[in-house]
Amino acid sequence: MKITRQKHAKKNLGFFRNNFGVREPYQILLDGTFCQAALRGRIQLREQLPRYLMGETQLCTTRCVLKELETLGKDLYGAKLIAQKCQIRNCSHLKNGVSGSECLLSMVEEGNPHHYFVASQDQNLSMKVKKKPGVPLMFIIQNTIVLDKPSPKTIAFVRAVESGQLVSVHEQESIRQLKEEQGLVKNPERRRKRRKKISGPNPLSCLKKKKKAQDTKSSASEKKRKRKRIRNRSTSKVLSVKQNAEG
């Protein structure tokens, strides 16, 4: 049974790796239902998930999931402890929290660019995840972890990409990077900087010129003072010579 399960997992992982760029370490988003099922089945997630997926894994969750588990009380205290040991991934609900299922669904929007796995026992959440192409789904059945096969929506998306009707998010990112490296696409930040250029003389340069003018004026006045001193010295010497001659 274990060999067949690992074969199916390897096949499904290869599908997501080749078509959507899924790679190690596999980032698995857990919700409260999955943590509760792992607790009841006495499943050591940190040990069994890497064995099952045959690669490095990272157990992740969100603050919305933790808040939801806290509000549910003592019945899900053990699930909350499991979730608290996971890495926290930032969601967009810092001010206004949402349910755990809604939060995890938002984490895989826009083509799932971070290649998250979603691990849940919530059937409503699972159905919504299956409608999003490129999101691996995991669940626990009969005290064993299962990586679900690609959904019909995911398979249809891959076929559309192969036929040239669509371009996957992974391919879009690689194309954009190649264009930027070859200089075919200009960086929009540079364009913004060019637009912000100020026409006319720079006021800072004018201020510097004023300072220089002041410096030149001060240096000229100092020269005049030196000349006056020299003249005063020379006149004083002449007067002293005349006085000596008269004496």
Side-chain angles (χ1 to χ4, degrees), residues 202-212:
N202 191 347
L204 295 176
S205 62
C206 295
L207 291 173
K208 289 180 180 178
K209 288 179 180 178
K210 289 180 180 178
K211 289 180 179 179
K212 288 182 180 178

Side-chain angles (χ1 to χ4, degrees), residues 19-20 156-169 171:
N19 295 291
F20 297 97
F157 180 85
V158 171
R159 288 177 180 173
V161 171
E162 291 175 350
S163 63
Q165 297 176 5
L166 294 174
V167 179
S168 65
V169 177
E171 290 177 346

Side-chain angles (χ1 to χ4, degrees), residues 30-171:
L30 311 180
D31 70 348
T33 61
F34 190 85
C35 295
Q36 182 69 8
L39 183 65
R40 289 179 178 176
R42 297 181 180 179
I43 298 173
Q44 300 295 327
L45 294 176
R46 294 187 181 278
E47 296 177 1
Q48 295 188 25
L49 273 172
R51 291 178 187 174
Y52 176 62
L53 297 176
M54 293 167 286
E56 186 181 353
T57 60
Q58 290 181 352
L59 303 183
C60 313
T61 190
T62 64
R63 290 184 177 86
C64 293
V65 173
L66 293 175
K67 288 180 181 178
E68 185 180 53
L69 289 171
E70 288 177 359
T71 56
L72 291 175
K74 296 181 180 179
D75 293 336
L76 295 176
Y77 179 76
K80 184 184 74 171
L81 292 179
I82 295 174
Q84 286 176 343
K85 295 179 181 179
C86 298
Q87 298 180 14
I88 304 298
R89 293 291 182 265
N90 293 327
C91 61
S92 59
H93 314 115
L94 294 176
K95 294 183 179 179
N96 299 319
V98 297
S99 64
S101 59
E102 186 177 350
C103 183
L104 293 192
L105 196 64
S106 68
M107 297 291 286
V108 294
E109 293 286 349
E110 299 179 356
N112 191 19
H114 298 288
H115 309 298
Y116 287 126
F117 290 56
V118 175
S120 176
Q121 303 294 106
D122 187 347
Q123 293 186 358
N124 292 327
L125 175 60
S126 298
M127 292 299 295
K128 292 177 181 179
V129 169
K130 288 180 180 180
K131 293 180 181 178
K132 296 182 178 297
V135 184
L137 179 65
M138 302 190 73
F139 52 87
I140 295 172
I141 185 170
Q142 295 179 357
N143 297 334
T144 56
I145 302 170
V146 176
L147 174 63
D148 198 11
K149 61 183 180 181
S151 65
K153 190 79 173 180
T154 297
I155 294 173
F157 180 85
V158 171
R159 288 177 180 173
V161 171
E162 291 175 350
S163 63
Q165 297 176 5
L166 294 174
V167 179
S168 65
V169 177
H170 179 65
E171 290 177 346

